[in-house]
Amino acid sequence: MTIIALAIWFAVGLKTFEPHIVTSFICMAMASVMMGQLNSANALIRIYSRMIMCTFLVIVSVATFLFSDYAPALVTLCSTIFYTFLFRCYQDKSSPGWIFYAYLAIGLASVFWVQVLFFLPFLWIITSTNLLAMNFRNFIASLLGVIAPYWFLLAWYAFKNDIPAFAVHFKELANFGQVAGMQVLTSHQLVTLAFTILLAVTGMIHFVNKAHLDNIRTRLLYETFITIDLLTIAFIILQPQHFKFLYGILAVNTSPLIGHFIALTHTKWTNRYFILLIIMAMAICAYNIWIP
């Protein structure tokens, strides 16, 4: 899958000659490695499998129209970093360091896309209910993590004598587009989004049916993925103009769900469904690359 992903990025690079495609590729490569580490460190799949990393590569590689923009790739990378540090805090209320680093990733993501801060209340709730790691000390650590990048950003704007630009960054939080105005999405984006949502729903249904086979910790972690996945889908439907940033978050949360399904199901029908998904992914990728 790594070889195929490299070939896709190389083909798109030759076709578009966009200067930022290298930055996007580096971010996605790092995010893929982080997804593999996230799986290994938390035993997200009961058997030895690299399927989560593979499914992540598929989901991000079919969205070839995002390759030329480095900002969504950075938000995607920050999402993987967030989970990597946050999951280390499971049932540990004396982990302000890991909490700080996790929410520092959210703060960095918000520098490139400030609307990610809308997820913040839900992330705090998940840290409390699913990670069982929230107390006053860790809450303050999370706030400091989110704020930390802005200390440097404010200093940079002060150095440039352009403090008003700092306020403009946060004014974007109040900038709402048409609710459910899906017409802003291109046919390529709609097709790719529909495919990824299909993967997410498949993974959710499978995990709900088979959750009793996993331990409690794994269930709570997957419930985190499901919650953020549903919130992301709702966000896309309500404010589709943010699609390019939300798609990366959707990829990060969908990969473990569909990876769990593919790795642990081997019936006649699920094997056929797996083949169908591969064909769909190949068709969508070809459509995004070659059809204007």
Side-chain angles (χ1 to χ4, degrees):
M1 190 57 234
T2 301
I3 295 172
I4 294 172
L6 285 170
I8 294 171
W9 282 79
F10 184 72
V12 174
L14 289 178
K15 184 174 183 289
T16 61
F17 293 103
E18 290 286 348
H20 293 305
I21 197 169
V22 175
T23 305
S24 296
F25 172 75
I26 292 172
C27 289
M28 287 304 184
M30 294 173 63
S32 300
V33 173
M34 295 293 288
M35 290 299 294
Q37 291 298 316
L38 187 68
N39 176 34
S40 300
N42 297 281
L44 295 177
I45 299 180
R46 297 189 298 274
I47 61 174
Y48 177 80
S49 174
R50 296 295 182 188
M51 189 56 67
I52 290 177
M53 181 178 178
C54 291
T55 53
F56 177 77
L57 285 170
V58 170
I59 295 172
V60 298
S61 295
V62 297
T64 58
F65 45 80
L66 296 178
F67 289 4
S68 59
D69 195 343
Y70 67 91
L74 285 168
V75 172
T76 303
L77 175 59
C78 288
S79 299
T80 62
I81 294 172
F82 170 75
Y83 283 130
T84 300
F85 287 125
L86 184 70
F87 287 177
R88 290 176 177 267
C89 306
Y90 178 73
Q91 285 190 337
D92 187 359
K93 295 186 177 181
S94 301
S95 56
W98 293 122
I99 291 287
F100 173 82
Y101 293 133
Y103 282 87
L104 176 63
I106 300 299
L108 288 171
S110 70
V111 171
F112 299 98
W113 180 55
V114 70
Q115 283 82 2
V116 76
L117 295 178
F118 286 127
F119 285 98
L120 203 52
F122 302 101
L123 297 179
W124 281 328
I125 293 172
I126 285 171
T127 303
S128 177
T129 59
N130 289 60
L131 278 299
L132 308 174
M134 184 59 81
N135 56 17
F136 181 74
R137 187 181 180 189
N138 284 354
F139 176 71
I140 296 300
S142 70
L143 279 178
L144 292 175
V146 173
I147 296 170
Y150 290 101
W151 299 343
F152 300 95
L153 192 63
L154 181 59
W156 171 250
Y157 281 120
F159 174 76
K160 292 175 62 180
N161 196 25
D162 191 17
I163 296 297
F166 183 77
V168 170
H169 178 73
F170 291 100
K171 284 183 179 178
E172 287 297 313
L173 288 170
N175 185 14
F176 295 100
Q178 180 182 353
V179 175
M182 302 300 286
Q183 67 273 10
V184 302
L185 300 181
T186 66
S187 59
H188 295 272
Q189 291 172 330
L190 286 171
V191 169
T192 308
L193 175 62
F195 174 68
T196 307
I197 290 177
L198 173 64
L199 297 181
V201 172
T202 300
M204 291 176 195
I205 294 173
H206 163 75
F207 186 78
V208 169
N209 288 334
K210 301 295 182 181
H212 63 280
L213 299 176
D214 288 295
N215 58 45
I216 294 175
R217 183 178 187 273
T218 302
R219 292 181 214 169
L220 290 173
L221 298 186
Y222 269 92
E223 286 174 7
T224 298
F225 293 132
I226 291 173
T227 301
I228 300 300
D229 231 1
L230 292 173
L231 289 172
T232 304
I233 293 170
F235 200 156
I236 292 174
I237 294 173
L238 293 174
Q239 295 290 284
Q241 71 271 18
H242 299 300
F243 169 82
K244 64 180 182 179
F245 293 101
L246 290 166
Y247 184 83
I249 299 174
L250 189 65
V252 171
N253 290 278
T254 298
S255 300
L257 296 170
I258 193 62
H260 191 277
F261 166 77
I262 294 172
L264 298 176
T265 54
H266 303 287
T267 67
K268 178 177 67 175
W269 292 108
T270 55
N271 287 344
R272 291 175 178 175
Y273 185 58
F274 170 67
I275 295 172
L276 176 62
L277 292 178
I278 293 176
I279 295 172
M280 291 174 64
M282 294 172 60
I284 293 170
C285 187
Y287 172 65
N288 289 335
I289 292 176
W290 303 114
I291 306 298

